[in-house]
Amino acid sequence: MVTKSKGEESHVSNPVKRIRWATQRVTGTDERHIRQSIKDRFQHRKAGSTEKKRQSGETPHLDGILEEADLSEAGDSHETSGRRIYFNIPLPDTAKDDNGRPIAHYERNKIRTAKYTPLSFVPKNLWFQFHNIANVYFLFVILLGIYWIFGNPNPALSSVPLIVILFLTAVKDGIEDWRRTVLDNELNNAPTHRLTEWNNVNTSEDSISPWRRLKKATTHSILSTYKSWSSKRDKKSARGKSYAERALDGTRPSVDTRQSGFSIQSEPDEEGIRMTPVPSPQPGTGRQLENDRLAVDDRPTTSFSFEHGENTQHANGQIPASDPSDRELARAPPKFYGSIVDPLKQAPGKARFARDYWKSVQVGDFVRIYNEDQIPADVVVLSTSDPDGQCYVETKNLDGETNLKVRQALHCGRMMKHAKDCEKASFVIESEAPNVDMYRYSGAAQWTQRDARKPEGPGADMAEPISINNLLLRGCSLRNTDWVLGVVVYTGRETKIMLNSGITPSKRSRIARDLNWYVIYNFAVLFFMCLVSGIVQGVTWAETNASSDFFEYGSIGGSPPLDGFITFWSSVILFQNLVPISLYISLEIIRTAQAFFIYSDTFMYYDRIDYPCTPKSWNISDDLGQIEYIFSDKTGTLTQNVMEFKKCTINGVPYGEAYTEAQAGMQRRQGVDVEAEGARAHKQIAEDRITMLRDLRKMHANPYLHDEELTFVAPDFVTDLGGASGTEQKIANEEFMLALALCHTVITERTPGDPPKLEFKAQSPDEAALVATARDCGFTVMGRSNDGIILNVLGREREFTVLNTLEFNSSRKRMSAVIRMPNGKIILYCKGADSVIYSRLKPGEQPQLRRLTGEHLEMFAREGLRTLCIACKELNEEEYQAWNKEHDLAAAAIVDREDKLEAVSDAIERDLTLIGGTAIEDRLQDGVPDAIALLGDAGIKLWVLTGDKVETAINIGFSCNLLNNDMDLIVFKIEDEDMDLAQAELEKHLQAFGLSGTDEELQVARKDHRAPKATHAIVIDGDSLKLVLEDRLRQKFLLLCKQCKSVLCCRVSPSQKAAVVRMVKGGLDVMTLSVGDGANDVAMIQEADVGVGIAGEEGRQAVMSSDYAIGQFRFLQRLILVHGRWSYRRLAETIANFFYKNIVWTFALFWYQIYNNFDVTYLFDYTYILLVNLAFTSLPVIFMGILDQDVSDKVSLAVPQLYRRGIERKEWTSLKFWTYMFDGIYQSVICYYMGHLIFAPATFETHNGLNINDRPRVGVYIACATIVVVNLYVLMNMYRWDWLFLLLVAISILLIWFWTGVYTAFSSSAQFYKAAPQVFGQLSFWAMVLLTVAVCLLPRFAAKAFQKLYRPRDIDIIREQVAQGKYKHLDRYDAYVPPAKLPSAASSEVSDPKQEQRNGKGLADDDERPIYPPSVANTGTTHNARSQNGSDGTDYTGHRFSLDQPQRPSMDRPRPSFDRMRESMDRIRPSFEASNDFTSAALLTRLESSHSGTPTRRTRHGNSSLR
């Protein structure tokens, strides 16, 4: 901050650096007072304040900005506990305990995302596994079996199934956790450079407890053993992560720890950590080393600065004299910001920056970070290698965006370059408490400014606020900056990235939720069977004069009630298989295999970004087969988010030639041959491109113009720029291009070459496209100087001073730059949404220009282009200086800084002069129209939830098959938040469908899963959506949407997106899927049953929060229609067959109990009971769930209607469950009584005179037949019979013969000894098995034959057609995608009710504020020659969809694209035009107010709209 007297105030403002929202400079007469106020405030507050939410109806004015003297009172209600961090200052007594150690204890920087340690794995894993009620049940059964009284013949053997299941699950969990542990160790042992041999007073040495020592010793021993074993192998794993690991790792955003020049796999026990390659200077060599280190010529070839000097304070605290400048205007003397380096302090000179581990970093440490390094903790930047104090960071590990953001060093720390400077620095940082807000930070640095000329003086207390702009967050990567020196404020789990980790909610599939009920049903059946057994046994022992009185020695219990009680629990052990313990582990195996198949599907692999379809949640794959509603974002999801500047309007003249997909879709609806029209248009555009390039090079030999990158094709613009249409148009064109080249936050990077190439990295792809177009037209942004922008204007290099930058956010919907021109004038350039800019134009001026520009912008929107308005305003010196004082005061605020800056910005952005508008195309992704059409054929309803304007969304809807010409388009817009009007509109439209919105109608709608007829579609904006989502209207709105083929919700907030998903999911009881690519889609992704993130150009936040991640929208059709349908059908059939086979086996035992008074005698050998689910019947059922396939993937895509069975949930129903249950009971009767009836009349003596009618051998008869029946029944229910399935069934059947033969060969089998040869040698055994199989399976076979012959389903017919060869043509394709279907060329009338667009704020601040703000630079995944960026664009608009256009004369010269669009609009059906009161352009001309932030009141029929 600056400290100078009133008389020293300069009338020429020193430029303010471009930062995100708030700058840090404060000028004027009260700087010393402001510093003291900040210091006083932080001395009385605990630190940190939460941001106060603005009231929705608040109007920002300058009057609302508090002086800094009032900040302490204003912030009292917002204080939370914070922290004070001391640097080279002894801790006060209040901050120390009785032992002199710091009271404050901070988190270690070592993190562990793994659940387990080597010592805790076994107990902790068992604890988690026994949260499963089935495991608890079987443990209880095993414990019962320990007591001999319950009749378990082998308690130890009965525990084998549970042990196997627990072991397999533990192995799976251990592998997953080991992987997390390895990644944790890589991260914790990553190198950084920390100041050593220096006392950090904020922390003390940890006292390591014996338990912690034991854990560390155990871990080290296991790691050493593993590494020694690994070193013996020849194979060496490559450093870093493989492609598969990188794709599967989505829950830990900070895993990628690639370090420049260092290995991230450092050994924990590495001795002698190497010193930094750039050591601190020795006495006498410091200045020379500093000059060598910081030489501008040695820095990377990036446009940091064109200055070779730096305004810094000398070591004695004096302000250096400014050098003479050759600039056109005199400069103010450098400001005095102060320095935390104490010039009077004697430094020991021992401190050094040494290479250390991340886990060693502590709060209060000085760290030096080099280019390409990752940030080890949350660090406040003190100085950088750049003279401006700027550095650039990549935040892809935080928000998924691979773009660069600018951060600023504190002014008071920019003198710090080396370790000795850190020893001499004395200051305190007051920091807010750790919180999850990654985009806000509040703190302050306090120090005492000493003057070397007055060593005895007390010094002046100074302070400087710290914002998020001065903070580097853990997980970011330093880019394009040689080094950064900073101090650590948050470590470990208190860092913002760790506080924000783990946001993906846990989801369970619908089948898994239903499965609990069916398991409960089985428990009920089990209870009934045990109860019957207990009662019968008790009654039997209560009878007198029975045979038991003569042949039994007495009961175990001694009394009938006790006998019945014991029998009840013994029956639980006997019938334990009725509750299938193996079902849960089998489902885990099946879902894991399904996830692997999805991941391995090469047809869903996106090679551009090396990304496959990546399952993040493995347990909901069956939900993909039941999706009825898809909710999709538009920008970046349906479109590419690759922006190309196509058209513009300047001074009422339209420029630019383009043929967009939206325009092609419009012409297709009108019956135009779009192929011929497109070919003609593209030929014309190619000719015009050649002409424009030739004319541009005649005007100026621009070395930065590359032919292949030119997207703005307008040869008439070049001629007008040369003066062909007069001086006025020439000046307007120049002013327009200057505005594009100056009003931005672009970072310029120069790629050497001949000619050189400039690459622009911007806060949004729209912005990069604007600056790139200015470059192509000769207005090239060369880079930034210390205080301005260097432009090459048609060959002349000129410097423009940037005084202030007021950046874009979602509530402002605009950005501005205050520029001092070379001639001394001060110009404010502003660009933003058309409605926002029009509302700030100077009242009463430019009526004709407003009307023409509004018409052009509306036509651009009709073509599917994203529009912006450009305006300017000239400021006089006095006006600017007065405003700048208020701005600097707001920038220095600690509380509500952003609200105050918004109010100040609003004050200057008024009375603007309109220059023109721009139109940028965001093209549809490849295959989007075909994918949407295919999903629609499958019966899936797709809703678009977007923040874009209504017109753009409608045209994208037409071009991607969401809308067609046969639909009545209901544009739902309610003015003035009138709830009664909204209800009337809803009821009117419901009446058209014969509905009134009653509960009975909702119940009918919940059961009706048919796709609505393609006759109606709804378009609704955010303000109206807010009304209809209220409880009073929600049901009516839901029923209306249920009748519409498509729903487009425009200009909606992230919370509204989630609310819409919640309304449909809960109201209609349907399965929903949300797909998006940006951070603003996270809410709806988490709300839906299945969330899909697109790893696109806006970043990876949606991917990190999703259940499945894909590279392109078109892959969704294969994910849902192929893998989803397969998974749902497979899992439904698997579960039904699992219950069936357990019923057959268990009830066979139950029928036997009838003939022994339910005394719980085991019919089968006990090993059979243990192995039946583990070995004899498990493989066919599991592989049914993994590999069974009714039709191929190509047929699934060719006949998407097959998916509708999943929407109707017919594969898994209660009827199916009980059908299989009763079928199992029937077959159990046959299996038991076939054996029973064989032995009932005969003795079955063998050839050697011995009989085989004892219980174990009868059990072999029945058990073998039962196993054969069960496995063949599973085979019968499979669709795919190939060699593998037949082999698995054969192995499962033969396994019981094998086990019986082997087990009975040993005398240890006791009574079972030699049972195999004795039983298998009987002809009756084989006859009974064959007969049992035939009788058991005959009803099922007959039912299937009848169903397929007389009641065939869709799949049966399709399978027959496949067998007939009708789908043989699909073999020619690798992955079949049906060809695009052209809509009917006939034009029909579409009714549109009279609606008007309401402007202003209708949403609460929480809704308006996005989850994450726009990015500040480019991503590496966008393949656009202009920019590699991803973020939201400033494309909001207030005008409404309209086609009514006033008549205007033809243009003097041909403008093919403009004329094509005009002709298209002239052919639109008149009924649609007649339904609108006035056009969007007309509406824009009525926006006269210059106020922002107030609600808009609108009146109809020509009355002005005030804002």
Side-chain angles (χ1 to χ4, degrees), residues 243 443 534:
Y243 147 73

Side-chain angles (χ1 to χ4, degrees), residues 707-993:
D707 295 3
E708 70 279 2
E709 296 182 6
L710 181 68
T711 62
F712 176 51
V713 179
D716 49 344
F717 170 82
V718 182
T719 57
D720 287 354
L721 188 62
S725 297
T727 305
E728 179 184 355
Q729 191 63 31
K730 175 183 178 181
I731 295 174
N733 287 4
E734 291 177 349
E735 187 77 9
F736 181 85
M737 286 299 163
L738 275 179
L740 299 186
L742 295 174
C743 184
H744 58 79
T745 55
V746 162
I747 303 168
T748 306
E749 284 196 354
R750 185 195 306 265
T751 302
D754 187 21
K757 188 174 181 180
L758 295 179
E759 183 179 359
F760 300 122
K761 301 180 178 180
Q763 90 171 26
S764 72
D766 305 70
E767 195 169 53
L770 297 176
V771 177
T773 296
R775 174 203 62 197
D776 295 342
C777 294
F779 295 75
T780 306
V781 179
M782 304 297 298
R784 292 182 179 272
S785 65
N786 191 38
D787 52 11
I789 296 180
I790 307 295
L791 290 189
N792 186 305
V793 181
L794 298 177
R796 287 186 55 205
E797 194 165 289
R798 302 164 66 185
E799 180 172 352
F800 298 80
T801 303
V802 181
L803 303 179
N804 304 86
T805 299
L806 312 176
E807 295 197 8
F808 169 86
N809 66 22
S810 61
S811 59
R812 283 167 43 77
K813 302 184 182 72
R814 64 190 182 280
M815 76 156 292
S816 300
V818 182
I819 308 293
R820 187 181 293 278
M821 310 298 283
N823 59 9
K825 290 184 179 180
I826 300 176
I827 305 294
L828 178 142
Y829 290 106
C830 184
K831 66 181 180 185
D834 44 17
S835 60
V836 174
I837 299 300
Y838 266 70
S839 67
R840 283 166 170 74
L841 297 179
K842 195 168 185 179
E845 296 189 358
Q846 302 177 293
Q848 179 70 5
L849 179 58
R850 291 192 197 193
R851 183 180 64 80
L852 293 175
T853 303
E855 290 179 10
H856 300 159
L857 291 177
E858 184 181 4
M859 284 191 295
F860 297 160
R862 287 297 319 277
E863 295 179 79
L865 303 177
R866 300 155 64 97
T867 59
L868 288 175
C869 270
I870 311 294
C872 66
K873 176 182 179 180
E874 183 174 349
L875 307 173
N876 58 54
E877 192 69 36
E878 294 74 16
E879 180 184 6
Y880 170 74
Q881 292 297 338
W883 174 84
N884 192 46
K885 291 179 182 178
E886 299 288 351
H887 178 270
D888 291 339
L889 195 61
I894 302 298
V895 178
D896 299 335
R897 181 182 299 158
E898 293 195 5
D899 290 342
K900 294 173 183 177
L901 280 168
E902 186 167 340
V904 174
S905 302
D906 177 68
I908 198 69
E909 294 168 330
R910 302 180 180 178
D911 296 333
L912 304 177
T913 300
L914 182 63
I915 301 177
T918 65
I920 297 175
E921 182 179 17
D922 185 7
R923 301 178 62 85
L924 285 175
Q925 292 182 11
D926 295 337
V928 166
D930 294 338
I932 291 177
L934 197 66
L935 293 171
D937 291 340
I940 297 174
K941 300 87 176 174
L942 190 142
W943 293 17
V944 175
L945 312 179
T946 178
D948 277 337
K949 68 188 74 174
V950 174
E951 294 90 335
T952 305
I954 288 176
N955 283 284
I956 292 296
F958 274 113
S959 53
C960 64
N961 290 340
L962 274 176
L963 307 175
N964 61 56
N965 202 44
D966 298 324
M967 290 183 179
D968 285 336
L969 197 59
I970 303 174
V971 182
F972 202 90
K973 298 179 184 179
I974 307 302
E975 58 184 34
D976 299 327
E977 297 188 3
D978 190 336
M979 188 73 72
D980 294 331
L981 179 58
Q983 182 173 353
E985 288 291 326
L986 284 174
E987 292 174 350
K988 181 184 72 174
H989 293 300
L990 281 172
Q991 288 175 2
F993 299 99

